Amino acid sequence: MGYRRIYVRVPFVADATLLGRKKTDIRARTVDISEGGFCITEPSEELSESEYHIRISTTDGDTLEMNARPVRQNGGLTGFQTLEMDRHAREVITLLVSEYQMTPEFIRQLDEFDLLNQLFVDDQGNELEISFDKATDEG
């Protein structure tokens, strides 16, 4: 089975608060994050609603806010699809991804999932064309 994510997810551990229609805070911890979604572990209550307002507090004291819906549950992990996020959250996530792409762990992911030879699809199943630019030594 191929790797089907559009956005690169990076390891990201932080406190998360989920607020649904019931207006009670659900506490959890993030596992990873991307522009398209994130994964949490050990929510303080069962998740059942279709959309949540999420507040993620980083160890640096930063706060990311977004709306998301659960799309996959596997054991104690729940994957969310981001529906909407503010500009600040998008900027922070973009920076995290940029930094992660410079790590040996990201290079191992490229090999493990054969990412350079995968077909990527959008939410409607349409194939996306991905290209990579190669740096040159020219000044």
Side-chain angles (χ1 to χ4, degrees):
M1 182 161 130
Y3 188 85
R4 297 178 51 96
R5 293 197 192 281
I6 296 171
Y7 301 102
V8 174
R9 283 207 180 177
V10 300
F12 183 72
V13 177
D15 292 325
T17 304
L18 294 72
L19 182 62
R21 286 182 286 231
K22 294 179 183 175
K23 305 295 182 198
T24 59
D25 288 354
I26 299 172
R27 304 269 183 217
R29 298 279 290 164
T30 60
V31 175
D32 59 30
I33 197 165
S34 76
E35 225 178 286
F38 58 93
C39 182
I40 64 165
T41 186
E42 303 173 9
S44 61
E45 294 180 28
E46 187 175 329
L47 302 175
S48 59
E49 299 187 31
S50 59
E51 187 174 329
Y52 291 89
H53 179 77
I54 315 293
R55 184 176 301 117
I56 299 173
S57 303
T58 69
T59 55
D60 296 338
D62 212 351
T63 301
L64 311 179
E65 297 204 30
M66 60 196 73
N67 292 331
R69 68 181 174 93
V71 292
R72 181 176 26 263
Q73 290 189 9
N74 184 6
L77 298 175
T78 303
F80 281 80
Q81 177 185 20
T82 302
L83 302 172
E84 181 181 3
M85 74 173 69
D86 63 25
R87 185 172 60 186
H88 174 70
R90 188 173 311 282
E91 289 170 355
V92 170
I93 292 169
T94 299
L95 180 60
L96 288 168
V97 170
S98 294
E99 291 172 353
Y100 180 70
Q101 289 176 328
M102 303 301 287
T103 66
E105 185 176 339
F106 177 70
I107 303 303
R108 282 191 294 278
Q109 266 189 355
L110 288 176
D111 279 344
E112 179 181 348
F113 295 107
D114 195 23
L115 291 179
L116 298 179
N117 294 313
Q118 293 294 323
L119 298 179
F120 290 85
V121 296
D122 63 16
D123 291 340
Q124 290 76 41
N126 301 313
E127 185 177 329
L128 299 173
E129 186 172 316
I130 307 291
S131 62
F132 296 92
D133 293 329
K134 183 177 178 183
T136 63
D137 291 335
E138 297 174 11

